[in-house]
Amino acid sequence: MSLVPYFNDLSFYSDPSAHKSRYASLVKSFKSNFPDDKIEFFARSPGRVNLIGDHIDYNYFPVLPMAIEVDVVAAVSTNDSSFIIISNTDSDKFPQEKVAIGQDSDFVIDREHHTWANYFKCGLIVAAKFLQEKSGEGKYKLKGMNITFSGIVPTGGGLSSSAAFCVASTLAVLHANGVKEISKADLTRITVVSEHYLGLNNGGMDQCASVYGEQGKALFIEFQPQLKGTPFEFPVKNLTFVITNSLQVSNKYETAPIHYNLRVVEMAIAGDLLAKKLGVEGKPGIARDSNVDTYSLRGVMEGYCGPWDGENLKEGAAKLSKMIDVVSKTLTEKKGYTVEQCCKELGITAEEFHLKYLEKIPVKFDVLKLYQRSLHVYRESLRVLQTLQLLSSPVEDESKFFQAFGSLMNESQHDLDVLNESSNSKLNEICAIALDNGAYGSRVTGAGWGGSIVHLTSTENLPRLTSSLIDTYYKREFPQIKEEEIQEAVIDSKPATGSCLLSAEIIDKLVN
Ligand code: ATP
Ligand code: GLA
Ligand code: MG
């Protein structure tokens, strides 16, 4: 069992000295927020970049992300009050808030009032449930806390600042309440649903990548039959990634009904429709396990093609290829399904349809693109297995390796744009600039509709790629952009250590 690590210094960063001044500012900020208080420990969790496999995790297909060095760090002290005070080094954007913890009603999130404290509450709720579960007693009395957060994952940048923030929050609450050791498996299991309390029905990739990250390694993340992250190294030394933030902020929460949650709902309806048409409905061992309580597209595949252990790549690829073929023949409304057409195919009334598919997660749409979305899921999942196969085979010809990996990423970008419709013209333009200037593959990473692009390149091509993106995208798109804003938009892509706890001893080591 692998435990969330505990460090007494900053040696888990690739360049520890580069982080000293940031920690020193965090300590200073904590002292000014809570002058009579002393930091007891730090809880930290990183952002992630997904190399390939987007919008498939909530269908339980494996993905290939890695944790990155940008992260969220919480400086924490405990007390016996009935409040948790959260403050932030960026107090303009995230002003101090007081979160009550005395009553059950304190744990209810008011979705109408959108604030960063809601994200903290997501982390708090799952931590409180875990503590309750562990204690087995009646009501669990949580410790009061004073916290200052420092986050350097760009928010709304597709690099999962929300998971970094929620997981760091959960870890802080657990440690403050006496959990000295927690397994990576438990921390992942409890945090994967944290954002669901906000009404965001995401999958588990972000939290799993944030928890399981290891320096220098990418991750193969599986959701079924078991949720787990397996770190692995790249087979080629001079392979590198560049992450560029498009600086188009993707407001995931505000746009959920027309973007992210709509994809979740479309894929859930596609799951039920395919299950019905392919005779999977009611089959023993195939559960209605999606976030919308429908058949998931993974479940449909296993019901139709037989069980898959998630590890045998050849077998998985064969089943996915079969599904790609079947989807095209089964979901015939290529222009999209109206509610009426869905009802007819599912054999239910409009009222039943609303109750079953549109009540739990509010969405807005003209038509439901069931064919396009499910085709994306099966094709993207196949590419993940092909990428993993490529990365786990010996490399005989580096140039062919780069071409093959890059092509898979580019095909992914094509489908994200055309089938999943989560890219846009500006994001496509960044990919095109990169491909003309030394990138082998470029794709939108994470949820999309803005956010960041991940580019695959070699160490030789890296300088040309970066300077072309700066000149051709940033300086043209944002003529007033400052040098430091450019520096921040081109993000360190080194695979990083996952969630961890740090002792207050590090404070004395921050002065050189
Ligand atoms: P994506 O989900 O597309 O990868 P993201 O996770 O950065 O991108 P959101 O899911 O919209 O974007 O989450 C952003 C929200 O997370 C912020 O609005 C804020 O509420 C919370 N958050 C993230 N980082 C911090 C931080 N350092 N301090 C406070 N709140 C934060
Ligand atoms: C967001 C979600 C993840 C995943 C990606 C798209 O980051 O939080 O669960 O669905 O989008 O792959
Ligand atoms: Mg997020």
Side-chain angles (χ1 to χ4, degrees):
M1 185 179 63
S2 171
L3 296 177
V4 171
Y6 190 90
F7 294 99
N8 292 315
D9 54 32
L10 301 181
S11 59
F12 58 89
Y13 286 116
S14 63
D15 179 6
S17 59
H19 292 264
K20 278 189 175 178
S21 64
R22 172 178 167 225
Y23 275 82
S25 309
L26 169 59
V27 172
K28 200 168 153 208
S29 174
F30 181 94
K31 280 187 186 150
S32 99
N33 290 319
F34 311 109
D36 304 325
D37 219 349
K38 229 177 134 190
I39 296 171
E40 291 167 33
F41 67 93
F42 299 84
R44 165 199 167 270
S45 215
R48 61 96 191 98
V49 62
N50 190 22
L51 302 178
I52 195 155
D54 274 309
H55 288 272
I56 61 172
D57 63 342
Y58 48 90
N59 290 286
Y60 308 124
F61 284 107
V63 292
L64 285 176
M66 53 194 202
I68 48 178
E69 292 235 330
V70 284
D71 57 12
V72 172
V73 183
V76 186
S77 74
T78 61
N79 56 55
D80 290 322
S81 72
S82 304
F83 297 99
I84 298 177
I85 297 179
I86 53 169
S87 57
N88 208 295
T89 49
D90 187 352
S91 56
D92 290 341
K93 198 164 163 190
F94 305 114
Q96 185 166 308
E97 300 225 22
K98 193 171 180 179
V99 177
I101 50 171
Q103 318 273 334
D104 284 349
S105 58
D106 292 336
F107 294 88
V108 176
I109 292 180
D110 175 4
R111 292 184 189 176
E112 301 303 312
H113 179 56
H114 187 49
T115 142
W116 72 293
N118 285 349
Y119 281 80
F120 176 76
K121 274 192 172 183
C122 289
L124 170 67
I125 290 171
V126 299
K129 277 188 190 267
F130 181 74
L131 290 164
Q132 181 77 54
E133 222 173 86
K134 264 185 71 136
S135 80
E137 287 167 18
K139 190 162 160 34
Y140 188 89
K141 167 93 178 71
L142 286 172
K143 293 288 279 183
M145 298 163 80
N146 286 336
I147 313 182
T148 302
F149 285 95
S150 158
I152 52 169
V153 191
T155 52
L159 303 174
S160 206
S161 68
S162 57
F165 181 77
C166 289
V167 177
S169 302
T170 303
L171 197 53
V173 174
L174 291 178
H175 197 68
N177 286 280
V179 178
K180 295 286 172 250
E181 286 190 338
I182 179 153
S183 68
K184 291 182 180 178
D186 274 342
L187 185 59
T188 309
R189 176 178 61 81
I190 65 174
T191 52
V192 287
V193 292
S194 52
E195 289 180 48
H196 294 196
Y197 291 95
L198 267 172
L200 278 166
N201 288 273
N202 51 359
M205 166 171 71
D206 305 343
Q207 298 77 9
C208 197
S210 189
V211 173
Y212 277 92
E214 279 187 21
Q215 220 181 71
K217 293 182 184 167
L219 296 163
F220 176 54
I221 292 184
E222 293 163 84
F223 304 97
Q224 285 179 352
Q226 213 193 331
L227 174 64
K228 65 173 180 185
T230 310
F232 68 91
E233 277 177 42
F234 294 108
V236 163
K237 282 273 166 293
N238 69 338
L239 166 155
T240 183
F241 296 96
V242 184
I243 306 167
T244 51
N245 187 346
S246 68
L247 301 177
Q248 294 177 50
V249 174
S250 148
N251 286 316
K252 194 113 145 279
Y253 184 82
E254 284 84 354
T255 63
I258 54 163
H259 288 155
Y260 193 86
N261 279 353
L262 180 55
R263 293 297 171 274
V264 174
V265 169
E266 284 176 308
M267 291 175 195
I269 298 171
D272 269 7
L273 199 56
L274 285 168
K276 187 170 179 68
K277 290 186 134 193
L278 299 176
V280 168
E281 210 176 40
K283 267 199 173 176
I286 308 296
R288 283 191 157 86
D289 59 356
S290 84
N291 284 347
V292 198
D293 303 323
T294 67
Y295 289 102
S296 64
L297 293 173
R298 167 86 180 251
V300 170
M301 182 184 90
E302 295 202 27
Y304 187 65
C305 306
W308 178 48
D309 64 3
E311 308 260 321
N312 184 329
L313 302 186
K314 231 172 154 187
E315 194 190 328
K319 291 184 197 302
L320 285 162
S321 302
K322 191 166 168 185
M323 289 312 296
I324 291 167
D325 194 40
V326 160
V327 161
S328 308
K329 292 178 187 142
T330 316
L331 298 175
T332 48
E333 293 299 334
K334 306 289 192 257
K335 289 199 172 127
Y337 286 72
T338 60
V339 168
E340 209 182 354
Q341 282 165 325
C342 287
C343 292
K344 200 166 152 221
E345 302 251 11
L346 288 161
I348 57 176
T349 65
E351 202 181 325
E352 284 166 336
F353 185 85
H354 276 272
L355 215 62
K356 202 162 172 196
Y357 302 108
L358 307 178
E359 185 99 331
K360 187 172 168 199
I361 306 177
V363 288
K364 285 188 205 146
F365 57 88
D366 293 328
V367 283
L368 295 157
K369 300 217 178 145
L370 308 185
Y371 161 70
Q372 287 83 346
R373 310 308 183 222
S374 38
L375 187 60
H376 166 72
V377 169
Y378 291 125
R379 283 168 52 139
E380 182 80 346
S381 302
L382 177 58
R383 281 188 288 268
V384 169
L385 301 192
Q386 290 166 334
T387 308
L388 188 65
Q389 180 71 52
L390 185 73
L391 295 177
S392 41
S393 311
V395 175
E396 276 153 26
D397 181 333
E398 274 201 11
S399 152
K400 279 196 184 144
F401 167 84
F402 273 112
Q403 297 295 345
F405 191 176
S407 297
L408 288 162
M409 288 176 69
N410 295 333
E411 285 164 23
S412 164
Q413 172 59 20
H414 172 274
D415 283 1
L416 287 169
D417 185 35
V418 175
L419 296 177
N420 198 53
E421 296 178 276
S422 50
S423 186
N424 61 35
S425 58
K426 278 276 168 287
L427 299 171
N428 294 345
E429 188 190 317
I430 300 175
C431 293
I433 296 170
L435 293 178
D436 279 346
N437 290 284
Y440 292 95
S442 290
R443 59 183 291 282
V444 176
T445 184
W449 295 288
S452 298
I453 313 278
V454 57
H455 313 275
L456 166 70
T457 189
S458 59
T459 36
E460 308 87 82
N461 288 359
L462 182 65
R464 173 162 70 103
L465 175 59
T466 314
S467 62
S468 312
L469 285 164
I470 291 173
D471 294 341
T472 323
Y473 180 69
Y474 293 110
K475 291 194 176 162
R476 280 201 198 156
E477 193 64 28
F478 310 101
Q480 310 300 328
I481 196 163
K482 298 192 192 98
E483 202 48 46
E484 66 192 72
E485 290 169 325
I486 295 178
Q487 298 295 329
E488 269 175 33
V490 180
I491 293 149
D492 190 345
S493 66
K494 276 192 230 54
T497 306
S499 314
C500 60
L501 287 155
L502 308 176
S503 86
E505 273 176 43
I506 67 154
I507 299 171
D508 298 330
K509 299 178 187 164
L510 296 176
V511 269
N512 290 320

